[in-house]
Amino acid sequence: MLLKDKVVIVSGIGPGLGQELALEAARQGADVAMCARTASKLDDAEKLIRDEGLNTKILKVATDISDRSQCADLVSKTIDTFGRIDVLINSAYNPGSFEPIEQANLGSWREAMDVNFFGTMGLTLEVVPHMKQQGGGSIVMINTMVTRKPMPTQGGYGASKAALATATSHLALELGPHNIRVNSAYMGWMWGPSVEGYFQMTEQAGGPSVEEQKKAVAANIPLREIPDDADCAKAAVFLGSDYARAITGAALDVNGGEYLPH
């Protein structure tokens, strides 16, 4: 088990990647502290874990990460419950509004930045002192392919994640001497409730069928399929584990090869 006897915080629990991250951490032997703004989403994730027969210790804390005091409360409760924090996986996000930049709702951009950048950084900075005190830890930022391969109408979301990418590189440099690793997983299309719902909505609005949309997206991916949420979660959990103990400041592309760095 990659995370045996570890304590992992996962932010942004919800249908799709957030739940899969918590579930995979539990499968890999970790005790898990989960946070989301909506408490029922935490209950759903706990049920998924228990339905697999896993006896993982679970802490659920309803948290809006854009509020620094709520981040502090989450971290304090995690320390009180488990005594340490070995891994933080920052998955919480706000997609913002979707429109061309020249028509941008900059208020929506600020809301996305409050979660994707400032909220993520706030939670990270609450965790860092505890990792320093215990002699190390691992932080995984869930980033997006949109920062590497721009996509129409996603400028605000991409800008917020690009800011996070720059901060992540600086964090890796600064925290390395404290044995704290900081890495990013850059997710592309992920097959799960969010994308499936988007495709269904497009079909219902008179667009191509769900299967036609899947084929069109997969045609641009060298592996010829949209990666599953669960497989993407495994990549992030790897970065958090000791199997990646020689890796920091890395940007791992998890998109089936749709973006190929050179």
Side-chain angles (χ1 to χ4, degrees), residues 16 19 27 30 35 54 96 154 159 164 166 181 195 204 221 226 246 257:
Q19 286 185 348
R27 285 175 179 149
C35 80
L54 298 167
Q154 295 192 44
L164 179 63
T166 298
R181 300 182 297 104
V195 170
Q204 291 165 4
I221 299 174
I226 299 176

Side-chain angles (χ1 to χ4, degrees), residues 178-247:
H178 301 281
N179 195 33
I180 300 172
R181 300 182 297 104
V182 191
N183 293 292
S184 299
Y186 284 72
M187 306 301 183
W189 288 96
M190 293 184 292
W191 187 249
S194 296
V195 170
E196 186 174 8
Y198 170 70
F199 284 179
Q200 289 172 345
M201 189 168 54
T202 300
E203 179 180 11
Q204 291 165 4
S209 70
V210 170
E211 284 305 313
E212 288 171 333
Q213 293 175 75
K214 285 181 70 175
K215 288 179 181 178
V217 171
N220 294 317
I221 299 174
L223 291 181
R224 292 299 186 266
E225 66 177 4
I226 299 176
D228 188 88
D229 286 339
D231 288 328
C232 295
K234 290 180 174 68
V237 166
F238 158 74
L239 285 176
S241 77
D242 288 343
Y243 269 52
R245 66 183 303 275
I247 302 173

Side-chain angles (χ1 to χ4, degrees), residues 126-157:
E126 291 295 333
V127 166
V128 164
H130 298 282
M131 288 187 171
K132 282 185 175 181
Q133 186 176 30
Q134 70 197 24
S138 177
I139 300 167
V140 181
M141 307 292 195
I142 302 300
N143 212 300
T144 173
M145 183 179 70
V146 173
T147 65
R148 295 145 108 59
K149 180 184 177 182
M151 299 181 72
T153 75
Q154 295 192 44
Y157 176 60

Side-chain angles (χ1 to χ4, degrees), residues 7 77-85 130 134:
V7 175
K77 287 177 177 174
T78 303
I79 292 296
D80 288 345
T81 301
F82 301 116
R84 59 186 294 113
I85 300 167
H130 298 282
Q134 70 197 24

Side-chain angles (χ1 to χ4, degrees), residues 151-175:
M151 299 181 72
T153 75
Q154 295 192 44
Y157 176 60
S160 67
K161 288 291 196 175
L164 179 63
T166 298
T168 298
S169 296
H170 286 267
L171 275 173
L173 179 67
E174 294 177 10
L175 298 179

